[in-house]
Amino acid sequence: MLPFAEKNVLLGICGSIAAYKACELASRLREQGARVDCALTASARHLVQPAALEALTGTPVITDMFPLVTCPEQGHIAVAQRAHLCLVAPATANILAKAACGIADDWLSTTLLATRAPILYAPAMNTNMYTHPATQANIEILRKRGAAFIGPASGRLACGTEGLGRLADIPDILDAAFCAVHQDKDFSGKRVLITSGPNHEPIDPVRFIGNRSSGKMGRALALEALCRGAEVGMITGPAQVNPPSGVKTTQVNTADEMYDAVLSCMNEYDIIIGAAAVADFKIERPETGKIKRGEDRIVLHLKPNRDIIAAVAGAKRPGQRVVGFAAETDDLLLRAEHKLRQKRLDMIIANRVGGEACAIGADHADAYVLIPGQDPEKLEYATKSHLARTIFDRLLALD
Ligand code: CTP
């Protein structure tokens, strides 16, 4: 199940130069399962061609208030009613002002009044326009009415200046959109700690032993927990993906650093999830100088690292929940069940690694959820976001 499966998203695109980025946004929303209706304002039509958006979304683009006779399903009331989310990206000072005042003089502003779906604005404009008291007052009014905002970010602006006003990065807009459509706050008041990514164990100052973990699973868990109202901490090795914004993140390299970071803060959390691909071994004595070529044969002496999640489960207080993952090349269920018992976890997620169905670094994987005393639950070809959702659903059922 994709993150936006069965969700209708209205993407309202206004006349900021960042409008070209809306094509990427529409494409990513579609890729993640949404049905996307794009609406271009009159100014945006100067910047983006409807044909590009139509090709990316497979849906006719709305550019006019009055195609109602020929295309009633594109009418503002029909779209307003079927939308699970109205995402205005880029949102200009003009649309914010119109929405704050309830002005309905074109298709998008009319639809923003007609909808009862959550509304998310991603502003993009010149810094002075954004910081102008009128724009700030309009944002305040919209926030008070329940609208959400993502960005703007700081950086180089199309007008040649540097400052606040860039459209937020697309991954951040997608995260905010995901949170806006998944609104059950069933983990509010809970604190969740997640370990994520690989470890790098130094061999010498320039080389390390690592593994193929991308950090995507840890990121999906963090986003799911955030969206469900939890406070989220993340202790991550050098991953390929950034943690979602809003997560209290500690960056580490080695398994020892991860161990110390986790053990020193575990008492502050209600749920601890070990999604990191922790390095099982470290170099006994990393070289202080770069190892030179020219030797015939180099022998590296390894020694085992401590087991972080087992230490956490061994030291947990009553009521704390500890979840682990099991990465197995063979005897998947047998080994996962063994780790569940041996590490004294409340839940373990078994993934196959190696070969074609490898879960490491992939976006989809088969997985089993194992809980003591319950039959294993198989999730076939699950996305990491679907797996994250299932883990939190099952955690809820444990209480
Ligand atoms: N784990 C950990 N600390 C370690 C090793 C693993 O916290 N030093 C955690 C992982 O984050 C995961 C679980 O333990 O939640 C299982 O990890 P996995 O790599 O499947 O198993 P290992 O315990 O490392 O055992 P093996 O490599 O022999 O399969």
Side-chain angles (χ1 to χ4, degrees):
M1 187 140 163
L2 293 163
F4 289 92
E6 293 161 19
K7 301 294 179 196
N8 298 320
V9 177
L10 163 63
L11 176 58
I13 304 165
C14 305
S16 150
I17 191 68
Y20 76 95
K21 296 181 186 167
C23 293
E24 169 74 9
L25 185 56
S27 170
R28 297 288 303 279
L29 284 164
R30 174 103 192 271
E31 185 183 277
Q32 296 194 11
R35 179 211 147 108
V36 186
D37 285 301
C38 291
L40 288 168
T41 63
S43 313
R45 287 203 293 280
H46 293 289
L47 299 160
V48 189
Q49 287 302 313
L53 290 161
E54 285 180 2
L56 291 167
T57 61
T59 312
V61 169
I62 304 156
T63 53
D64 195 344
M65 190 67 193
F66 296 102
L68 296 180
V69 181
T70 48
C71 195
E73 72 275 13
Q74 297 273 280
H76 59 282
I77 301 298
V79 176
Q81 280 176 351
R82 73 168 170 261
H84 296 100
L85 172 68
C86 294
L87 167 57
V88 185
T92 52
N94 186 42
I95 195 73
L96 297 174
K98 289 203 287 185
C101 295
I103 292 172
D105 65 351
D106 65 1
W107 192 96
L108 182 59
S109 53
T110 308
T111 307
L112 292 175
L113 273 186
T115 192
R116 289 297 170 265
I119 303 178
L120 171 64
Y121 293 98
M125 65 196 79
N126 160 271
T127 310
N128 287 348
M129 293 173 78
Y130 180 69
T131 55
H132 193 286
T135 305
Q136 290 302 310
N138 291 330
I139 290 174
E140 196 48 33
I141 290 170
L142 294 169
R143 267 193 215 281
K144 282 201 180 119
R145 287 191 202 134
F149 283 79
I150 174 72
S154 284
R156 201 180 64 79
L157 301 175
C159 53
T161 57
E162 290 266 337
L164 199 57
R166 276 173 74 86
L167 185 72
D169 289 342
I170 303 295
D172 292 339
I173 299 177
L174 290 167
D175 285 353
F178 181 80
C179 285
V181 289
H182 296 97
Q183 292 217 319
D184 344 324
K185 299 293 174 214
D186 44 8
F187 279 81
S188 65
K190 297 274 186 206
R191 307 194 70 198
V192 178
L193 179 67
I194 296 158
T195 72
S196 185
N199 292 125
H200 286 179
E201 297 294 335
I203 298 172
D204 69 14
V206 294
R207 303 180 179 94
F208 59 83
I209 299 179
N211 61 58
R212 297 184 204 282
S213 167
S214 61
K216 288 181 190 169
M217 189 66 236
R219 188 186 199 284
L221 287 161
L223 182 61
E224 179 71 20
L226 267 186
C227 294
R228 292 170 80 154
E231 241 181 88
V232 185
M234 202 164 173
I235 297 181
T236 177
Q240 290 163 24
V241 292
N242 291 325
S245 56
V247 171
K248 185 178 167 195
T249 305
T250 305
Q251 297 277 352
V252 295
N253 279 310
T254 66
D256 276 341
E257 289 165 6
M258 188 173 269
Y259 183 100
D260 292 342
V262 172
L263 271 284
S264 68
C265 70
M266 64 169 280
N267 286 336
E268 297 164 30
Y269 291 91
D270 305 294
I271 296 163
I272 298 147
I273 307 180
V278 181
D280 286 329
F281 301 98
K282 62 183 166 194
I283 302 289
E284 201 163 27
R285 259 185 300 278
E287 295 293 334
T288 50
K290 187 178 167 216
I291 299 173
K292 304 284 178 293
R293 217 145 50 93
E295 298 279 336
D296 243 11
R297 193 161 168 237
I298 290 172
V299 177
L300 297 175
H301 290 278
L302 303 179
K303 73 178 196 188
N305 277 318
R306 293 165 291 178
D307 190 320
I308 301 170
I309 210 72
V312 166
K316 75 171 189 178
R317 56 176 161 74
Q320 262 182 328
R321 297 283 183 199
V322 185
V323 178
F325 280 74
E328 309 296 345
T329 49
D330 35 31
D331 295 332
L332 180 64
L333 283 180
L334 217 66
R335 287 177 185 271
E337 269 162 15
H338 175 70
K339 283 179 192 169
L340 179 67
R341 274 195 311 276
Q342 185 204 28
K343 298 184 191 233
R344 294 193 285 158
L345 305 174
D346 297 295
M347 185 189 301
I348 200 161
I349 318 305
N351 282 135
R352 203 173 286 288
V353 293
E356 276 190 12
C358 184
I360 292 188
D363 291 320
H364 296 81
D366 287 347
Y368 289 86
V369 180
L370 281 77
I371 295 172
Q374 297 185 16
D375 288 335
E377 175 184 2
K378 183 170 188 192
L379 300 174
E380 266 173 69
Y381 200 58
T383 58
K384 293 193 169 171
S385 105
H386 179 54
L387 184 52
R389 177 142 288 241
T390 307
I391 292 168
F392 283 98
D393 286 348
R394 300 298 168 267
L395 276 166
L396 215 54
L398 287 182
D399 289 331

